[in-house]
Structure formats: C-alpha cells, structure tokens
Amino acid sequence: MTYLLLIIGAVLVNNVVLTQFLGICPFLGVSKRLETSFGMAAAVLFVMTLATLVTSLLQYILVSWNITFLQTITFILVIASLVQMVEIVMKKIAPPLYQALGIFLPLITTNCAVLGVAILSTQKFSSVLESVVYAAATALGFGLALVLFSGLREQSELYDIPKPMRGAPLALITAGLLSLAFMGFSGLVR
Amino acid sequence: MNRYWKEFSKGLIHNNPVFVILLGMCPTLATTTNALNGFSMGLATMAVLVGSNLTISLIRKLIPDTIRIPAFIVVIATFVTTIQRVMEAWAPPAINESLGIFIPLIVVNCIILGRAEAFASKNTPLLSVLDGLGMGLGFTFALTLLGSLREILGNGTLFGFRFLPTDFSMLTFILAPGGFLVLGLIIAVLQKLNSKKDTGVSA
C-alpha cells in the first residue's frame, strides 16, 4: 500500500516535469513527434531506475565515510559513466534496443531529472528498494507528461497561430496548461 | 578592446541564454517563484560559470580531446560543490531552503557545459571570464525579470515590498503553471519585437 501511494504520488501528484520542473530540456526538445517521445520516455525509465539503484548504494559509502558533501561530484560522474557503459553494452548485446534508444542515451547525461531524482531519493528515503520504486515511478510520470505533451504539440502544428507565438512560446504555454490540469491531482496523496 | 566588449555583451540581450537560446530551463522555471530567489539563483550560476570558464580556459591545452567532456564535468562539479558549501555557510537559510535541490543541479545546467565546450575550451582566460560574466549576467537578468513578474502577479510584492493589495494576487503565477505561462509570454513579446526590427531593417 505504501508503495502504491508512492507510485501515485510520483506519477500524478508530484509529476517530475509539470510540478517539480526537472527535465524540462528533453521535455521541450524531443516532444515534437510522438514516436521520439516514446523512445525518450523508455530510455529515461531505464537510465533513471538504474542510476538511482547505483547511487543509493553509493550513498551508503558516502555516509559511512562521512563525505556526503562529495555527493554532487560523485553522483554526476557515476551517472555519466553509467550511461556510457549502458550504451556500449546495449550496442553489443541488444542491437534492436540500441537502435531504438541509442540516440537518446548521450542526451540523458545532462538530463537534470536523473541527477535530481538520485539526490532527492537520498533525502527522502532510507531504503534502496523505496528509492528504486520512486525513481521508476518518477520516470513513468516523465513519460506520461512527455507523451501527452507531444500529442498536443503534434495537433497544434496544424493550426494557424500568430507569428510571434510560434515555436517556444506556444510550447511553454501548452506546458503551462498541462501543468494546470495536473494541479487537479494535488491532494490525492498527501 | 572592441573584441572584449563584444564577448561580454553578447550574453546580455542579443544571445540571452534563457530568452533566445532556451538553455537552463529547469532552474529558470523552478527557482523564480519570487524576484529574490531568481536573483540568488542567477548569481550562484554566474559564480560557477565564471570559475569553470576560467579554469577550463587555463587548462584547455592539457585536456586530451577525447575525454574533454568528463574533464569539464569534473571542473564544473568542483565549483558547484564549493558554491554549495559557501551558500550553506553564509546565505540566508530561507534562500537555501527555497533553492534546495537546484543548487547541486547547477552541475547539469546546459549553459555551463555549453559555454565550456563552445567558448572556454577555445579562447584565452580573459575572454572566457568576460564571456562567463556576460552570460551569467544575462541569465541573472532573465531569472530576476521572470521572478519579479511572477511575484508581482502572484503575490502583489516585489523583492518583498508590497505595492498591490492582497486581493489582487493570483496564486497560480507562483505555482508551477505560472512559470510556464509567464516565460512563454515573455518570449512571445521578444519574438514580436524582433520581427518588427527585422522588417524595419529590410524595408
């Protein structure tokens, strides 16, 4: 039950993009086509879960040696090298998967949602399992927001929009409306 | 002299990292719930940007090309950790509280890695510092403007000084949707102004 609430909270109530403002760059960058946004969502789910698993184990070492101030620098290095390693392994073992997710992997290193979730989960949870469930649920929330948003953007390209509003302004205002809709979930889980 | 002024001033308006290049969106939207938060976030980012630009420019000939990105990230992460420690020690607790996780997340701010890769790794230390100062000031300006507008609309105050009655405040502008809406409208206004200028020149 706790885990169910945790998942609902991370996917809908505290949606990572629309209420916490993490991972805006890929959210705006790869949301022009529905297909690419599915690919990005899958890649983020994979990397975020794996990275949080590794960093929450690493946190034990940082705490036991009393060097938690090195959290930022160790986490970003671990995530960056993990992404590189995943890319190499995936290319060798699962070429179809690499074809689908490959181009998104290097982009994820500078996705602040991955580092953000790794740091947040060390502040919120003490057990590794909780952290990993939280990371997977957050990634699902990211995917949900991304897919909804790219659906809206594909539609809005067909309309005749005032010239100054084209491009970034329209995308941001669409995101604002989507975020307003997600505010309706607040209070669902405390 | 002209060259130095050009590198400094390009980030302020013309190539503003937020309004024109659309980089560093996460801190831009998340920390601008009021003018002071936006301003502090801008200054913290500028400090990291100037420090990392200077360091990377000094060691640019020592870094092998193949591992330059990890090397840049280590330099940036070092400055971020320093700023984090400095702010924990001296900044007002309220600011630390509200900026929260976005201080360590300066490390993945695309502006900083972007300037390291595009500018500091190819130019002299003095030019790189000026570039960092210009871009940093442009970022601070953008965040302060966005924070001011959101604070005025959402709370009726500016930098904590009230000049609109409480009845006027629209809380939505301080919450998440307001960030997207206000930034979208600012960029729309800028695009409108730019398009006018362009047609004026060609006509």
Side-chain angles (χ1 to χ4, degrees):
Chain A
M1 193 61 197
T2 343
Y3 287 105
L4 186 66
L5 287 180
L6 186 74
I7 292 169
I8 292 175
V11 174
L12 296 177
V13 183
N14 290 315
N15 187 285
V16 63
V17 185
L18 296 169
T19 62
Q20 300 195 62
F21 292 125
L22 291 170
I24 305 278
C25 299
F27 181 68
L28 294 175
V30 295
S31 56
K32 286 197 181 119
R33 290 278 160 271
L34 204 54
E35 280 166 43
T36 52
S37 67
F38 272 113
M40 186 68 185
V44 167
L45 176 64
F46 185 66
V47 171
M48 200 181 268
T49 314
L50 198 62
T52 307
L53 175 65
V54 175
T55 52
S56 58
L57 292 171
L58 188 69
Q59 180 73 5
Y60 281 114
I61 302 174
L62 293 181
V63 169
S64 66
W65 287 359
N66 205 11
I67 46 170
T68 43
F69 68 91
L70 288 178
Q71 195 187 46
T72 312
I73 193 165
T74 45
F75 278 19
I76 186 68
L77 283 179
V78 165
I79 289 170
S81 42
L82 190 73
V83 172
Q84 290 270 301
M85 204 180 72
V86 165
E87 201 182 338
I88 295 168
V89 170
M90 200 186 263
K91 204 174 186 176
K92 190 80 187 163
I93 292 178
L97 199 61
Y98 179 78
Q99 287 290 323
L101 304 184
I103 48 164
F104 301 109
L105 286 173
L107 290 174
I108 289 178
T109 318
T110 51
N111 180 342
C112 55
V114 176
L115 181 63
V117 166
I119 295 176
L120 275 178
S121 65
T122 65
Q123 292 169 357
K124 280 187 176 172
F125 309 110
S126 50
S127 83
V128 174
L129 183 62
E130 269 180 328
S131 299
V132 170
V133 171
Y134 172 73
T138 305
L140 286 177
F142 176 81
L144 177 68
L146 186 62
V147 168
L148 285 176
F149 184 56
S150 62
L152 289 173
R153 277 186 89 173
E154 271 195 352
Q155 284 296 312
S156 69
E157 271 188 11
L158 302 174
Y159 303 130
D160 187 23
I161 294 152
K163 216 175 167 194
M165 295 294 287
R166 279 179 205 167
L170 183 71
L172 284 164
I173 287 166
T174 311
L177 295 176
L178 200 57
S179 166
L180 211 52
F182 266 71
M183 267 174 71
F185 290 117
S186 65
L188 199 64
V189 179
R190 80 186 149 75
Chain B
M1 198 58 220
N2 233 344
R3 173 89 205 276
Y4 294 112
W5 173 247
K6 204 190 99 211
E7 298 302 353
F8 174 71
S9 62
K10 69 175 185 289
L12 297 178
I13 303 282
H14 197 69
N15 270 328
N16 188 291
V18 175
F19 295 143
V20 182
I21 321 182
L22 295 179
L23 285 178
M25 284 290 115
C26 301
T28 303
L29 290 165
T31 63
T32 51
T33 48
N34 64 43
L36 187 62
N37 284 350
F39 184 67
S40 326
M41 185 67 203
L43 285 190
T45 309
M46 181 163 84
V48 173
L49 184 55
V50 172
S52 72
N53 257 10
L54 174 65
T55 314
I56 287 165
S57 160
L58 284 172
I59 59 171
R60 66 185 190 278
K61 287 180 184 134
L62 303 175
I63 304 175
D65 205 38
T66 43
I67 58 151
R68 67 184 193 288
I69 301 289
F72 294 164
I73 289 179
V74 174
V75 171
I76 295 167
T78 312
F79 278 101
V80 170
T81 307
T82 315
I83 292 291
Q84 208 179 341
R85 303 283 281 169
V86 167
M87 288 191 70
E88 273 167 26
W90 286 310
I95 291 198
N96 272 327
E97 180 82 7
S98 50
L99 298 187
I101 189 173
F102 286 92
I103 295 292
L105 286 183
I106 295 176
V107 75
V108 279
N109 188 327
C110 335
I111 296 172
I112 298 178
L113 192 63
R115 293 326 290 168
E117 166 77 6
F119 198 89
S121 61
K122 297 184 186 86
N123 285 288
T124 58
L126 183 60
L127 279 176
S128 303
V129 168
L130 286 172
D131 174 76
L133 276 174
M135 283 284 166
L137 281 176
F139 187 65
T140 311
F141 164 70
L143 262 64
T144 314
L145 179 66
L146 191 57
S148 306
L149 287 174
R150 285 178 72 184
E151 197 184 341
I152 292 170
L153 289 168
N155 202 22
T157 58
L158 182 60
F159 282 103
F161 299 111
R162 172 164 300 282
F163 58 90
L164 287 172
T166 31
D167 296 349
F168 190 76
S169 55
M170 295 174 275
L171 190 64
T172 316
F173 282 98
I174 292 190
L175 300 176
F180 287 115
L181 295 178
V182 174
L183 183 62
L185 292 174
I186 293 179
I187 296 175
V189 169
L190 287 179
Q191 290 194 359
K192 177 83 186 163
L193 291 177
N194 261 342
S195 67
K196 252 188 198 151
K197 206 191 297 170
D198 290 346
T199 48
V201 167
S202 61

